[in-house]
Amino acid sequence: MIDVHCHLNFKAFENDYDEVIKRALKKGLELMIVTGTSIESSKKAVELAQKYKEIYAIIGIHPHHADKVENGWDTEIEQLAKMSKVVGIGEVGMDYYSYKSNGVTDPKLQRKIFEKQIEISIENKIPLQIHGRHAGKDIIEIISQYKNQLLEIPGMFHCFAGNLPYLKKVLNMGFYIGFDGNITYEGLAPGEDTALSDLVKYAPLDRLVTETDSPYLTPIPYRWQK
Ligand SMILES: [Zn+2]
Ligand SMILES: [Zn+2]
């Protein structure tokens, strides 16, 4: 089994990532794909991929960080995309959720950063790993602009949420789908209209990928354990 989206590059693991990786391998996990959300965490993901043969990296700027990039960010992403063991551009996308730390990042900026990274993915022929939250309509509209170029290996939507029509559109465009431990949480997450435990049933098995988004979204019954 492969974890196609985790954040061993995050602060939560700075003291024990080696232990966590070894424990996961011992439990039977074969490969881990570590995803970046900024230049810094993307570089860290590449470092981990260089250090462990069972780790690969996905690099990119998360939409929530679209207002924090500095000039030349795109050149850095382009360079990282060419490194060995980098297997995707992510997590990239659109996110209209209002975070406690700084609310919603300017959608225009999010779009600019997302589009540039879609272009980098196409140029380097490596798939996208898309993060979307409450922004399904705009994500579909943006990706549709690149429909013909994305046909061969579009990539995947990570931590999928939304509703059935949205899921169908994403599947029709050739994307794979990842769900996380939050499919075990009861009730609806704020702003959602379809329970994840229902939605997951409509994703065909041959289009599903396994992911954790660790250190986040621990499934029930382990959710609040340390
Ligand atoms: Zn995400
Ligand atoms: Zn993530």
Side-chain angles (χ1 to χ4, degrees), residues 110-122:
Q110 289 195 36
R111 187 184 179 114
K112 204 175 127 199
I113 303 280
F114 184 28
E115 288 178 339
K116 182 65 200 169
Q117 293 184 104
I118 295 174
E119 286 156 22
I120 295 173
S121 133
I122 292 166

Side-chain angles (χ1 to χ4, degrees), residues 130-172:
I130 293 174
H131 164 104
R133 200 163 178 191
H134 304 168
K137 203 170 146 266
D138 286 355
I139 291 178
I140 295 290
E141 191 249 308
I142 292 167
I143 296 172
S144 300
Q145 306 176 104
Y146 301 92
K147 214 166 62 195
N148 296 333
Q149 291 133 286
L150 283 172
L151 270 182
E152 221 173 300
I153 30 160
M156 62 168 285
F157 276 63
H158 112 91
C159 195
F160 196 82
N163 51 33
L164 192 52
Y166 176 45
L167 175 65
K168 280 188 174 158
K169 276 184 197 150
V170 167
L171 287 168
N172 281 339

Side-chain angles (χ1 to χ4, degrees), residues 48-183:
L48 286 168
Q50 284 164 349
K51 196 166 166 186
Y52 297 89
K53 75 171 186 333
E54 300 88 352
I55 291 186
Y56 286 79
I58 287 184
I59 55 100
I61 312 285
H62 189 288
H64 184 57
H65 298 314
D67 58 346
K68 293 181 202 88
V69 292
E70 288 167 17
N71 276 343
W73 71 271
D74 45 344
T75 317
E76 284 201 85
I77 291 293
E78 271 162 17
Q79 283 164 354
L80 285 169
K82 291 179 173 51
M83 305 275 298
S84 70
K85 296 185 83 184
V86 170
V87 293
I89 301 291
E91 48 186 301
V92 299
M94 301 290 285
D95 188 335
Y96 296 159
Y97 179 77
S98 182
Y99 288 81
K100 268 192 199 132
S101 51
N102 66 341
V104 181
T105 306
D106 180 0
K108 277 199 198 107
L109 272 180
Q110 289 195 36
R111 187 184 179 114
K112 204 175 127 199
I113 303 280
F114 184 28
E115 288 178 339
K116 182 65 200 169
Q117 293 184 104
I118 295 174
E119 286 156 22
I120 295 173
S121 133
I122 292 166
E123 278 160 29
N124 289 279
K125 295 192 171 60
I126 50 175
L128 289 165
Q129 191 172 62
I130 293 174
H131 164 104
R133 200 163 178 191
H134 304 168
K137 203 170 146 266
D138 286 355
I139 291 178
I140 295 290
E141 191 249 308
I142 292 167
I143 296 172
S144 300
Q145 306 176 104
Y146 301 92
K147 214 166 62 195
N148 296 333
Q149 291 133 286
L150 283 172
L151 270 182
E152 221 173 300
I153 30 160
M156 62 168 285
F157 276 63
H158 112 91
C159 195
F160 196 82
N163 51 33
L164 192 52
Y166 176 45
L167 175 65
K168 280 188 174 158
K169 276 184 197 150
V170 167
L171 287 168
N172 281 339
M173 292 176 90
F175 285 90
Y176 285 74
I177 309 288
F179 287 94
D180 293 297
N182 51 345
I183 62 167

Side-chain angles (χ1 to χ4, degrees), residues 5-7 10 35 37 62 91 131 158 213 216:
H5 183 109
C6 60
H7 298 292
F10 279 14
T35 299
T37 54
H62 189 288
E91 48 186 301
H131 164 104
H158 112 91
D213 209 5
Y216 310 118

